[in-house]
Amino acid sequence: MSKIKLEDIRKAAIDKGWTVISEEYKNLDTEMVFKCNEGHQVYAPYKRIRDKWECPICKANKYFSFDESIKPKKKGVQRSIGLDQATHITGYSIFDDKELVYAGSFESNIEDEIKRDIEIRNWLIQLINNWKPDVIGMEDIQLQQFNNKTIGVTTYRTLARLQGILMATCVDEQVEYVVCAPATWRAHCGVKGRTRSDKKKSMQMKVKEWFDTTVSDDVADAIGIGKYICDNHKKKVEVFNWE
């Protein structure tokens, strides 16, 4: 068996999205310093790391790998869902009051737009039935402008139809919904940037700052929308006159 070299460990770390900080390696029991893909420093011998690239800080972070089991809603808690709907990938987040309890995305690979809209509608119905939200927040659509010209009209029409279907689904399922402008929820979350790409990256950095985990831009936006909804929209309470 050939002797392991520091360069071999560096290559193995890169394959896992990690980096090696240590500049010296003697044997498998040598304590080394690594940096995980979330930027945490991990102190361990290569013997322990090589079979299971696991960061203790990430392992202890409940947001790093969400428990996929559906959690029952506690009494008196408002459950909010944030949706970042798109033509193929819909990011979503679930908050109980101000606590993020789940975040993920739903992807449809159906090319036919009507059939894809039906699939997304059916997915949303199941999401509602499983999680039983009090309110759903979805990002409003907007026409894009570039050099004083309107662009992306076809995409706008596609998203407008999908938004209408999502709103109608909320009504059918008797769930309150809120449509929020992109500029509004982004300002609430402190998102910066001039271009759409810059703003999405900024929101990803916010999620990293708040929850110490890296997510896709679709999920990051859904978390931002969900946070805006849970911070600003409380469920309606019926008042009864018993006299």
Short mmCIF file of all heavy atoms in Angstrom, two decimals, residues 4 6 20 30 128 136 150 163 165 208:
data_model
loop_
_atom_site.label_atom_id
_atom_site.label_comp_id
_atom_site.label_asym_id
_atom_site.label_seq_id
_atom_site.Cartn_x
_atom_site.Cartn_y
_atom_site.Cartn_z
N ILE A 4 0.22 7.52 2.19
CA ILE A 4 -0.66 8.66 1.95
C ILE A 4 0.15 9.95 2.06
O ILE A 4 0.95 10.11 2.98
CB ILE A 4 -1.81 8.69 2.97
CG1 ILE A 4 -2.68 7.44 2.81
CG2 ILE A 4 -2.67 9.95 2.78
CD1 ILE A 4 -3.74 7.30 3.87
N LEU A 6 0.14 14.38 1.80
CA LEU A 6 -0.70 15.54 2.08
C LEU A 6 -1.52 15.92 0.85
O LEU A 6 -2.69 16.29 0.96
CB LEU A 6 0.15 16.72 2.55
CG LEU A 6 -0.60 18.01 2.91
CD1 LEU A 6 -1.60 17.76 4.04
CD2 LEU A 6 0.37 19.12 3.30
N VAL A 20 -8.08 21.61 3.16
CA VAL A 20 -7.13 21.24 4.22
C VAL A 20 -6.34 22.49 4.60
O VAL A 20 -5.72 23.13 3.76
CB VAL A 20 -6.17 20.15 3.73
CG1 VAL A 20 -5.16 19.81 4.83
CG2 VAL A 20 -6.94 18.89 3.34
N THR A 30 -2.15 11.83 13.04
CA THR A 30 -1.77 13.24 13.18
C THR A 30 -3.02 14.12 13.23
O THR A 30 -3.87 14.05 12.33
CB THR A 30 -0.89 13.70 12.00
OG1 THR A 30 0.25 12.85 11.91
CG2 THR A 30 -0.46 15.15 12.17
N ILE A 128 -50.31 21.86 1.80
CA ILE A 128 -51.29 22.44 2.72
C ILE A 128 -51.88 21.37 3.63
O ILE A 128 -51.99 21.55 4.86
CB ILE A 128 -52.41 23.16 1.93
CG1 ILE A 128 -51.85 24.42 1.25
CG2 ILE A 128 -53.57 23.53 2.86
CD1 ILE A 128 -52.82 25.08 0.28
N ILE A 136 -50.23 31.70 3.70
CA ILE A 136 -49.22 31.42 2.69
C ILE A 136 -48.82 32.74 2.03
O ILE A 136 -49.68 33.51 1.59
CB ILE A 136 -49.75 30.44 1.63
CG1 ILE A 136 -49.96 29.06 2.26
CG2 ILE A 136 -48.77 30.34 0.45
CD1 ILE A 136 -50.51 28.01 1.31
N THR A 150 -39.14 46.69 -22.00
CA THR A 150 -39.74 45.59 -21.26
C THR A 150 -39.26 44.27 -21.84
O THR A 150 -39.30 44.06 -23.05
CB THR A 150 -41.28 45.65 -21.34
OG1 THR A 150 -41.72 46.91 -20.80
CG2 THR A 150 -41.90 44.52 -20.56
N GLN A 163 -49.42 32.08 -10.77
CA GLN A 163 -49.80 32.80 -9.55
C GLN A 163 -51.31 32.75 -9.34
O GLN A 163 -51.78 32.53 -8.22
CB GLN A 163 -49.33 34.25 -9.61
CG GLN A 163 -49.59 35.01 -8.32
CD GLN A 163 -49.13 36.46 -8.42
OE1 GLN A 163 -49.79 37.30 -9.02
NE2 GLN A 163 -47.97 36.75 -7.83
N ILE A 165 -53.30 30.41 -10.32
CA ILE A 165 -53.65 29.05 -9.91
C ILE A 165 -53.32 28.83 -8.43
O ILE A 165 -54.12 28.23 -7.69
CB ILE A 165 -52.89 28.03 -10.79
CG1 ILE A 165 -53.45 28.05 -12.21
CG2 ILE A 165 -52.97 26.62 -10.20
CD1 ILE A 165 -52.66 27.24 -13.21
N LYS A 208 -27.23 32.31 5.31
CA LYS A 208 -26.00 31.83 5.93
C LYS A 208 -25.74 32.55 7.25
O LYS A 208 -25.35 31.94 8.25
CB LYS A 208 -24.83 32.04 4.97
CG LYS A 208 -23.46 31.70 5.54
CD LYS A 208 -23.32 30.23 5.84
CE LYS A 208 -21.91 29.90 6.32
NZ LYS A 208 -21.77 28.50 6.76
#
